[in-house]
Amino acid sequence: EHDEVMGVPGFAPTTKGIFNLTRFRQKVAIRTVISSKNYTRLPQFAEFVCRNFPFAYHVALMGLEVINKARENAKSYWIDPVKYVAELEEAVCILHRADIKVSVYNHPLCVLPTSLWRFARASISPWKRSYRDFCRVCYVQERCGGLFATSGAWQSGYLMPVGDRCVPKVPSEFRTAGRSTTNLANES
């Protein structure tokens, strides 16, 4: 499947390259882009990494940026992140329990369960990160990865500002300074 998605043969050479890097004592980080073709196997991917690359110092599970080849095939590969949060959460748990540093890249916090927020990173480059107008009232915008401005209309249909009416309990480390979780209704 790797070769089909990437459009070039490469899984076997990539795996060999990872092992070669360790022979030269290089740090290995593994990134995978989540798509409609692979999301159901995220837990199996995490188990594969734990079993075959336990030396990896970091694994990033990445939301799809719809550009280049992905734009040409967006109808086949894009999936709303809310549809794979269960698989993503399980994969993160597997990697975390194996003591492999894991991050969730390219996902706005409002589409992730709060259990994944501590793994989410604002990884989209500032020049291509955007927010919807309603994000201005979101309690966690400063910590949020935002949206790919480059992906156009290929965005989650479940975006919403985080606050009392949207997420029952916002973890304290994600609250914006000066705002409490009880005054969102007063700001609308």
Side-chain angles (χ1 to χ4, degrees):
E1 178 186 299
H2 172 278
D3 298 355
E4 175 194 337
V5 171
M6 296 306 294
V8 294
F11 184 76
T14 299
T15 302
K16 184 178 178 184
I18 290 171
F19 285 115
N20 284 340
L21 286 169
T22 62
R23 288 181 44 219
F24 293 101
R25 301 186 195 283
Q26 299 299 305
K27 288 183 175 181
V28 173
I30 298 171
R31 295 179 174 201
T32 190
V33 176
I34 303 165
S35 75
S36 64
K37 303 287 186 184
N38 67 5
Y39 80 95
T40 60
R41 290 187 307 282
L42 285 173
Q44 291 84 357
F45 170 77
E47 290 168 355
F48 177 85
V49 169
C50 292
R51 192 172 46 256
N52 296 287
F53 308 124
F55 47 78
Y57 85 95
H58 184 243
V59 174
L61 305 171
M62 305 170 62
L64 178 66
E65 179 179 12
V66 184
I67 59 167
N68 303 328
K69 188 169 177 63
R71 186 175 300 281
E72 295 170 24
N73 299 295
K75 288 182 181 177
S76 297
Y77 289 99
W78 191 84
I79 181 171
D80 195 311
V82 298
K83 294 183 179 175
Y84 60 72
V85 292
E87 292 86 356
L88 179 61
E89 193 167 34
E90 185 177 349
V92 167
C93 284
I94 291 166
L95 292 161
H96 183 67
R97 273 189 255 129
D99 207 27
I100 296 174
K101 182 181 175 187
V102 59
S103 297
V104 176
Y105 285 1
N106 311 340
H107 289 79
L109 291 174
C110 62
V111 300
L112 297 175
T114 57
S115 61
L116 290 179
W117 286 9
R118 67 186 176 127
F119 300 99
R121 306 288 175 257
S123 55
I124 300 172
S125 302
W127 66 271
K128 58 181 172 177
R129 183 182 322 136
S130 69
Y131 297 93
R132 294 275 179 90
D133 288 340
F134 56 70
C135 294
R136 288 184 298 225
V137 298
C138 181
Y139 288 135
V140 296
Q141 183 181 2
E142 291 178 15
R143 301 274 308 265
C144 183
L147 307 166
F148 279 112
T150 51
S151 290
W154 297 98
Q155 307 291 346
S156 175
Y158 297 88
L159 300 170
M160 66 179 71
V162 173
D164 289 341
R165 288 185 255 164
C166 306
V167 176
K169 184 175 181 188
V170 177
S172 61
E173 67 269 21
F174 285 91
R175 293 185 189 144
T176 303
R179 285 185 168 170
S180 73
T181 58
T182 59
N183 66 0
L184 182 62
N186 299 332
E187 294 180 17
S188 299

